[in-house]
Amino acid sequence: MTRSSVRGEVPAAEDTMSLAPRDQDQDQDQDQEGDQDAPAGQGRGGGGRGETGPGGDRPRRRRRVLRWSAMVLAVAILGTAGAGYLYYRHLNGNIKKDDLNIGDEKDRAAKPTANAAGQTPLNILLLGSDARNSKENQKLGGAKDTYNTAPRADVQMLLHLSADRTNMSVVSMPRDTLVDIPECTDPDSGKVYGALTRAMTNDSLGRGGPGCTVATWEKLTDIHIDHFMMIDFAGVVSMADAIGGVPVCVDANVHSHTSTGHGSGLKLEKGTTYIKGEQALQWLRTRYGFEDNTDIARARAQHQYMNAMVRELRENATLSSPNKLRKLAETATEALTVDDGLGTVAKLYDLSKELKKVPTKRITMTTMPWQYSASDSGRVVPRPGDAAKLFRLIREDIALDGKDKKKSAKDEKSSDPAAADDEIAVQVRNGTRTDTEASVGGRASEIARLLAGKGFTQAAADASVNAGEDTTVIRYPSADLEGDAQRVAEALGIPLSSVEKSTDVSGVTLVVGADWRAGTKYTAGQDDDSIPDTAQAINGSDKKQCMHVNPDYTW
């Protein structure tokens, strides 16, 4: 078989290397740019290795991510629709599988309720790894000193397909985000990884596999995740080649390279260029040269690429060629690692049909609202209020493009009758701490007194707990207390959507969040369903997207 020429030899679609089992199948980018990246600890964008997690401190260049791989995952499924059952058994053998969620089962987010037509939304976590454990991906990514080390989930995007299949939302998380990682158990070795607090989100993949990253997302967002998909590096090269290239735009000549060796090597002229092969890899890795040289700008460039690739897969007439479709199917299946629920071509084909129901104009690409951490230089945290709102919109299946004909379903009253107010025991916790602001002293006691004044005489402050919550929430442990919890919410003007079942509490528990730091009237939860501006939304049909070039990287 012949191979196309990309930095030496890159496999043609029908010759992409099959990967080994899970511990050897996550061979993805640490970024050519990363091989030449800044020293550890220098600025946010570089993402040094000095964070909590397995493996300890490592050169920053190992942090370079295949963010592009997560994007390609989505389009890979779209592209394989036409090739679905070609040499079925062969393609099935290409697909690698792993466990969906390896956290504690009792901590899983609840499945969404079906709509009136019996339909439920679908949530798929798209992942990419910075591992180097195949010759092909090692050659593409470089960083020889990181060969065969613990992978990092440096690409993380949640794809949400609406219950009625009319719209799709994609939420990407910056790779430097600090989150709480739950306890995870490696399905192969049985090794238990203890829970971490304020750890880099990309550490999760090395703690037993992609199922730990899924568990981390569910813990953060309370969104039930149905499937995950990972892809390898060579896949993006072969797929871009298979469809004849992907159009991208820059507003000035750009060369991502410096005299000190930083940059991906990307060199393009101003305007729109169809890129494939090595250029596609360079575009998706470029940080130095776009906007402010950060990973946030890189994510924006990747969104542009994904949107364009989806359009090409749908609109490019050359894909009617059976041979091109066969090559694309080979590439996609050899590149993928999925959970068992997507582990056959038939299941992927069925999924592709669901995804293709959504017109590109109803696809919205976003980035999780974030802000820089006050205590960890160069790291980011979910932006209080805005991140929680975006996750709520996903949980409630509200279209991010604002084009839903219907509003979100009204909060449903529990069939469980509430006890008398003075019989409802309520623990009040202070959750007003954020990454940038300290807790409001005495806040739990203040709200406990407020409740007592409203007749909830058994309300009491819990001084031992001072955890941070973006939004105020009321939790209850079992169905027989749901009515009581909703009664407390009603008394305080808190929406019923903020009342949730949780095994983390032993009774009705009110956590006063960062959205209610002062006053006795709760208003922060009375929010509209518009997407936060900080989510940086991009519409899938927008062909005018063009990356702004940093003036220091023009030629």
Side-chain angles (χ1 to χ4, degrees):
M1 294 185 180
T2 60
R3 295 172 181 259
S4 59
S5 177
V6 176
R7 203 187 313 161
E9 291 184 343
V10 174
E14 67 265 63
D15 193 30
T16 304
M17 295 179 63
S18 294
L19 302 184
R22 182 180 61 78
D23 288 341
Q24 298 178 356
D25 69 8
Q26 297 158 349
D27 253 7
Q28 300 168 9
D29 184 22
Q30 291 159 34
D31 206 316
Q32 175 188 359
E33 176 180 351
D35 290 353
Q36 307 160 355
D37 218 337
Q42 178 183 317
R44 197 207 76 69
R49 282 283 183 172
E51 67 274 5
T52 305
D57 292 346
R58 301 168 185 171
R60 165 176 284 178
R61 59 190 177 187
R62 299 178 52 191
R63 301 295 311 280
R64 292 312 89 200
V65 183
L66 280 190
R67 282 183 187 268
W68 49 264
S69 61
M71 301 174 184
V72 179
L73 288 172
V75 278
I77 297 306
L78 293 171
T80 56
Y85 289 97
L86 296 175
Y87 44 99
Y88 180 82
R89 292 184 179 178
H90 169 69
L91 293 181
N92 277 348
N94 288 344
I95 302 169
K96 296 164 289 296
K97 295 178 284 292
D98 211 323
D99 287 26
L100 173 62
N101 189 313
I102 59 174
D104 194 323
E105 184 63 28
K106 68 179 178 58
D107 293 333
R108 292 214 59 186
K111 293 183 178 180
T113 303
N115 62 16
Q119 303 166 304
T120 55
L122 195 62
N123 296 305
I124 305 171
L125 190 61
L126 311 178
L127 300 175
S129 163
D130 71 355
R132 291 284 197 291
N133 45 15
S134 81
K135 291 181 179 179
E136 194 58 48
N137 286 313
Q138 175 68 39
K139 179 170 58 181
L140 289 172
K144 295 180 180 179
D145 60 322
T146 66
Y147 187 78
N148 226 14
T149 54
R152 305 257 175 171
D154 282 350
V155 183
Q156 300 182 32
M157 290 184 174
L158 180 65
L159 185 153
H160 172 83
L161 181 62
S162 67
D164 61 9
R165 306 308 191 243
T166 62
N167 64 89
M168 185 190 303
S169 306
V170 179
V171 180
S172 64
M173 184 187 297
R175 68 183 181 88
D176 290 333
T177 304
L178 298 175
V179 298
D180 292 342
I181 299 177
E183 178 182 290
C184 293
T185 303
D186 189 311
D188 296 330
S189 68
K191 180 178 179 179
V192 177
Y193 293 87
L196 299 176
T197 58
R198 291 181 60 79
M200 292 283 289
T201 181
N202 59 2
D203 282 345
S204 57
L205 184 61
R207 300 172 65 79
C212 193
T213 309
V214 170
T216 300
W217 268 78
E218 289 201 0
K219 180 178 179 64
L220 174 68
T221 66
D222 200 31
I223 296 170
H224 182 85
I225 295 176
D226 302 283
H227 302 291
F228 77 82
M229 303 170 67
M230 279 198 315
I231 198 171
D232 71 355
F233 276 122
V236 70
V237 176
S238 298
M239 287 184 64
D241 290 347
I243 63 175
V246 175
V248 295
C249 175
V250 290
D251 66 1
N253 293 351
V254 62
H255 187 195
S256 179
H257 180 72
T258 71
S259 58
T260 57
H262 295 162
S264 68
L266 178 72
K267 189 173 185 178
L268 294 175
E269 294 183 356
K270 177 181 178 179
T272 299
T273 303
Y274 273 77
I275 59 174
K276 55 183 179 179
E278 184 176 3
Q279 278 192 324
L281 272 174
Q282 290 172 337
W283 174 276
L284 293 161
R285 295 171 180 163
T286 295
R287 175 163 62 87
Y288 293 104
F290 289 153
E291 299 180 359
D292 56 355
N293 298 337
T294 66
D295 287 308
I296 305 302
R298 172 157 51 186
R300 202 154 23 244
Q302 292 161 350
H303 287 171
Q304 181 186 142
Y305 183 92
M306 183 175 182
N307 284 340
M309 193 169 188
V310 169
R311 290 194 300 269
E312 289 299 304
L313 283 166
R314 292 187 173 198
E315 300 171 6
N316 193 333
T318 62
L319 285 180
S320 61
S321 162
N323 185 52
K324 287 184 179 292
L325 285 171
R326 180 181 63 82
K327 290 181 178 181
L328 195 56
E330 284 277 2
T331 299
T333 54
E334 288 191 345
L336 288 175
T337 300
V338 301
D339 62 282
D340 287 333
L342 291 178
T344 67
V345 172
K347 292 174 181 177
L348 292 173
Y349 178 73
D350 289 342
L351 174 60
S352 74
K353 291 191 296 183
E354 295 297 294
L355 293 172
K356 289 186 73 175
K357 292 177 182 178
V358 181
T360 54
K361 65 182 180 181
R362 296 300 311 278
I363 298 174
T364 305
M365 306 288 299
T366 68
T367 299
M368 180 198 75
W370 57 273
Q371 65 186 28
Y372 285 113
S373 167
S375 57
D376 295 83
S377 178
R379 306 293 183 243
V380 302
V381 294
R383 187 180 183 89
D386 285 2
K389 181 180 181 181
L390 181 61
F391 296 148
R392 176 183 67 80
L393 295 177
I394 298 294
R395 281 196 306 272
E396 297 180 7
D397 197 24
I398 299 171
L400 299 187
D401 60 8
K403 296 179 181 179
D404 266 347
K405 294 181 179 179
K406 63 181 186 304
K407 296 294 287 182
S408 59
K410 292 183 178 180
D411 298 335
E412 296 183 4
K413 190 76 174 178
S414 173
S415 59
D416 171 53
D421 291 354
D422 61 359
E423 296 178 1
I424 300 176
V426 186
Q427 280 192 331
V428 184
R429 297 178 179 175
N430 187 343
T432 57
R433 176 181 60 80
T434 72
D435 191 67
T436 57
E437 297 178 291
S439 297
V440 178
R443 191 62 177 151
S445 297
E446 183 179 3
I447 299 304
R449 289 193 297 270
L450 173 65
L451 279 169
K454 291 178 177 291
F456 295 86
T457 56
Q458 294 193 50
D462 182 353
S464 64
V465 178
N466 198 23
E469 292 274 354
D470 283 345
T471 57
T472 297
V473 63
I474 300 175
R475 298 188 172 105
Y476 61 93
S478 54
D480 61 312
L481 292 178
E482 182 180 22
D484 292 356
Q486 288 193 351
R487 172 63 193 131
V488 174
E490 182 182 13
L492 294 174
I494 297 171
L496 297 188
S497 59
S498 295
V499 178
E500 61 184 34
K501 185 178 179 180
S502 172
T503 56
D504 291 336
V505 296
S506 58
V508 176
T509 303
L510 165 64
V511 183
V512 183
D515 60 346
W516 196 16
R517 292 174 60 86
T520 57
K521 183 179 180 181
Y522 182 76
T523 58
Q526 310 302 325
D527 206 352
D528 60 27
D529 292 336
S530 62
I531 184 174
D533 292 339
T534 50
Q536 303 174 333
I538 297 175
N539 186 273
S541 63
D542 183 3
K543 296 183 179 181
K544 297 181 180 179
Q545 299 167 32
C546 202
M547 287 302 297
H548 174 61
V549 174
N550 187 304
D552 293 336
Y553 291 83
T554 59
W555 55 278

